[in-house]
Amino acid sequence: MAGLPYIVGNWKMNGTRAMLNEARAIDRAAARFPKVQVGVAPPATLLYRVRDAVELIGVGGQDCHAKDSGAFTGDVSAPMLKDAGADFTIVGHSERREYHGESDADVKAKAEAALSAGLAVILCVGETESQRDAGDAEAVVGAQLEGSCPKADGAPEKLSVAYEPVWAIGTGRVPSIEDVAAMHASIRGKLVELYGEGGGEVRILYGGSVKAENAAELLAVPEVGGALVGGASLTAESFLAIVGAAASLGE
Ligand SMILES: O=C(CO)COP(=O)(O)O
């Protein structure tokens, strides 16, 4: 798999300007880890400020609308994220799918809008606990990929996929290493089916209760090309411990 390990912090609906200090601290420390690609996705209100506060790390949105502009109160478009200085955006996070009713088709349209605006995309997929218990995890994730992977210019080159089992998000629970390996191999197979050779290069991140204590083990799994981190990305200290774990794997 090509590319540096990619560690991305998803701040979700957390953070006011005080978080700029954390962003600065992450950015300063990133210089010590040139073999890791680092990004943060602050809330939209902070995007522009974080962009201005950092030099080395990537900055991204957490979602975008599928349309470029219009009467969509409360939404933010991909060209707006780009204009605010974003390098990438997350789409299809399970919290968007669950609380905002986003379908695979919605996620695909958002991913295509983001690529068209010149943003890289982190597309999230993942099964619920009942789907895993029923033995359907790989089928569910495969269907999500079929329905939501973008076909626009920029795919698959600017695409990353984040596997985030819904039941592992914010719970302190993580799948077994064997289950992570099996799912990532299955995602790789589906990406090659969808994109041909280019699908072999898409980075596949793991997300769901990644912490300093489990990061090295998760990141060492074949086909795990990085991590999408929620709670542990909210302080520079805990986030940098994960970045450090990724760096030490390459040594
Ligand atoms: O949803 C996540 C990242 O997008 C994971 O969140 P936690 O790391 O808090 O489990």
Side-chain angles (χ1 to χ4, degrees):
M1 195 171 20
L4 302 174
Y6 189 22
I7 308 296
V8 181
N10 173 11
W11 293 2
K12 307 193 179 184
M13 197 172 73
N14 296 291
T16 56
R17 283 174 295 166
M19 278 293 278
L20 294 173
N21 290 330
E22 304 301 314
R24 282 190 202 96
I26 292 165
D27 191 59
R28 276 195 304 272
R32 299 203 311 269
F33 304 115
K35 297 237 166 83
V36 183
Q37 186 179 344
V38 179
V40 292
T45 47
L46 285 180
L47 188 56
Y48 200 94
R49 299 289 293 261
V50 172
R51 168 82 288 159
D52 269 3
V54 303
E55 285 178 5
L56 291 175
I57 64 172
V59 178
Q62 300 176 5
D63 173 50
C64 69
H65 198 277
K67 294 250 165 61
D68 286 355
S69 62
F72 302 102
T73 302
D75 279 314
V76 176
S77 75
M80 289 170 175
L81 293 176
K82 180 79 179 165
D83 182 58
D87 306 299
F88 69 91
T89 188
I90 298 168
V91 295
H93 193 282
S94 63
E95 288 149 17
R96 301 290 316 175
R97 292 177 185 263
E98 184 179 352
Y99 306 136
H100 297 265
E102 291 184 8
S103 66
D104 288 333
D106 295 329
V107 175
K108 179 178 184 182
K110 287 169 181 241
E112 291 182 343
L115 291 170
S116 301
L119 297 168
V121 167
I122 300 174
L123 189 157
C124 302
V125 293
E127 82 285 357
T128 62
E129 184 155 36
S130 58
Q131 288 165 335
R132 174 157 288 275
D133 289 346
D136 294 338
E138 288 180 21
V140 165
V141 167
Q144 286 176 336
L145 289 168
E146 265 171 37
S148 52
C149 275
K151 292 284 152 54
D153 276 358
E157 300 79 21
K158 296 183 79 174
L159 177 68
S160 301
V161 167
Y163 168 55
E164 299 205 316
V166 177
W167 52 272
I169 295 176
T171 59
R173 297 166 60 203
V174 290
S176 70
I177 292 303
E178 292 72 31
D179 285 347
V180 173
M183 182 60 86
H184 279 241
S186 161
I187 291 171
R188 175 66 66 211
K190 183 57 78 177
L191 289 169
V192 170
E193 197 181 301
L194 291 170
Y195 292 116
E197 215 175 297
E201 303 297 317
V202 173
R203 255 184 312 205
I204 310 172
L205 315 180
Y206 169 80
S209 296
V210 177
K211 310 262 180 280
E213 300 79 57
N214 59 20
E217 196 183 12
L218 287 163
L219 291 166
V221 174
E223 301 290 11
V224 174
L228 185 55
V229 185
S233 73
L234 294 176
T235 67
E237 190 185 5
S238 54
F239 187 58
L240 288 169
I242 296 167
V243 175
S248 56
L249 281 177
E251 282 165 3

